Amino acid sequence: MNESGTPPTGTGTHQAFAALSAGNYVRTRWWWVRHAPVRDDGGRIYGQSDPPCDTSDKPVFEAVAKVLPKNAVWISSQLLRTRQTAEAIWDAGYGKGITMRADPDLAEQDLGSWQGKDRASFFATRVPNPSSYWFAAADEKAPDGESFNDLVVRIKRAVDKFTPEYLGKDIVAVAHGGSIRAAASLALGLDSQKALGIAIENCSITRLDHYSSPSESGWRTVMINHQPWSASAER
């Protein structure tokens, strides 16, 4: 794997796919980055509330900065923790003076009246699901908020907007665990409930490549939950 996250070009299979893609399709690469960890939540569910994140672990951001492509378009949600994470990556060697668009469609699931509740007490009242990393089933709407299914619809709207706008470019999207699971479910054609079993760690990179031609389009999944800092040091 080279620094841009693509496999080496020496294999016949990769060369064949590259030739096919160059001749018939336009590739738009989505690099999804989950925000840095939130430490000051008091053990409470935050969802779309806006606590700051912890960007003090410089080696993590240095490793992420080395993987992300230069000259990318940067977008994020409107929440503070995504902006702070992007700035930490820029400061860790990626580059300065980057502009970034904020779009509320990339925000975390709106967890409604669950936001602010003690997380441990909340889960004590729920039936555990061994194949889910989430607060509820995909079709369960949080009171005064959204379901994960609603989030999938919202992320699709964002992807359908930004992919043609930045066709053929690299898009770095700094977002949230739920948002990135939703994007992965779209790329993989997964049932939303199955997508809740995908682990998306803080600062991890998920790359989803969109290929399009005048007659068809599709996705290739390059990596999910990649943590480049774990390969270079014991953490």
Side-chain angles (χ1 to χ4, degrees):
M1 191 76 72
N2 63 29
E3 285 192 356
S4 68
T6 57
T9 57
T11 64
T13 300
H14 178 76
Q15 288 176 333
F17 277 125
L20 174 68
S21 301
N24 301 290
Y25 297 98
V26 177
R27 179 179 65 173
T28 305
R29 302 194 300 180
W30 280 81
W31 304 77
W32 293 87
V33 180
R34 188 185 174 193
H35 64 80
V38 172
R39 310 285 191 198
D40 298 329
D41 58 355
R44 298 186 179 278
I45 298 170
Y46 47 87
Q48 278 196 13
S49 60
D50 208 14
C53 64
D54 177 6
T55 59
S56 63
D57 198 343
K58 189 175 179 181
V60 166
F61 297 101
E62 289 174 341
V64 173
K66 288 178 181 178
V67 172
L68 295 178
K70 303 298 184 184
N71 303 315
V73 174
W74 286 69
I75 58 177
S76 72
S77 77
Q78 82 285 15
L79 298 174
L80 174 64
R81 55 193 182 270
T82 59
R83 179 75 195 188
Q84 290 176 320
T85 299
E87 289 175 347
I89 296 169
W90 302 340
D91 290 344
Y94 182 86
K96 306 279 187 159
I98 313 295
T99 59
M100 185 167 70
R101 289 174 59 179
D103 190 318
D105 275 348
L106 298 176
E108 185 57 277
Q109 181 179 337
D110 182 353
L111 296 173
S113 62
W114 292 343
Q115 292 170 182
K117 289 190 173 183
D118 178 77
R119 192 178 285 106
S121 299
F122 174 83
F123 281 115
T125 67
R126 311 290 292 180
V127 176
N129 185 334
S131 60
S132 175
Y133 283 96
W134 208 231
F135 294 93
D139 61 356
E140 182 178 354
K141 190 183 293 284
D144 302 316
E146 296 176 304
S147 68
F148 182 73
N149 286 344
D150 293 331
L151 175 58
V152 172
V153 170
R154 179 156 54 76
I155 293 300
K156 185 178 187 303
R157 183 168 64 216
V159 169
D160 288 349
K161 174 174 63 176
F162 286 117
T163 299
E165 182 173 350
Y166 297 121
L167 193 68
K169 297 183 179 295
D170 287 294
I171 303 171
V172 176
V174 188
H176 308 265
S179 309
I180 299 170
R181 288 187 188 95
S185 77
L186 294 169
L188 290 167
L190 288 179
D191 172 86
S192 296
Q193 185 61 42
K194 288 185 171 62
L196 294 181
I198 298 174
I200 302 293
E201 303 296 338
N202 292 108
C203 300
S204 66
I205 301 170
T206 292
R207 194 181 122 197
L208 308 171
D209 290 2
H210 184 267
Y211 285 79
S212 62
S213 73
S215 59
E216 61 182 345
S217 64
W219 291 93
R220 295 181 190 170
T221 303
V222 178
M223 57 188 172
I224 293 178
N225 198 36
H226 176 48
Q227 300 165 61
W229 59 90
S230 65
S232 58
E234 266 186 46
R235 304 192 59 79

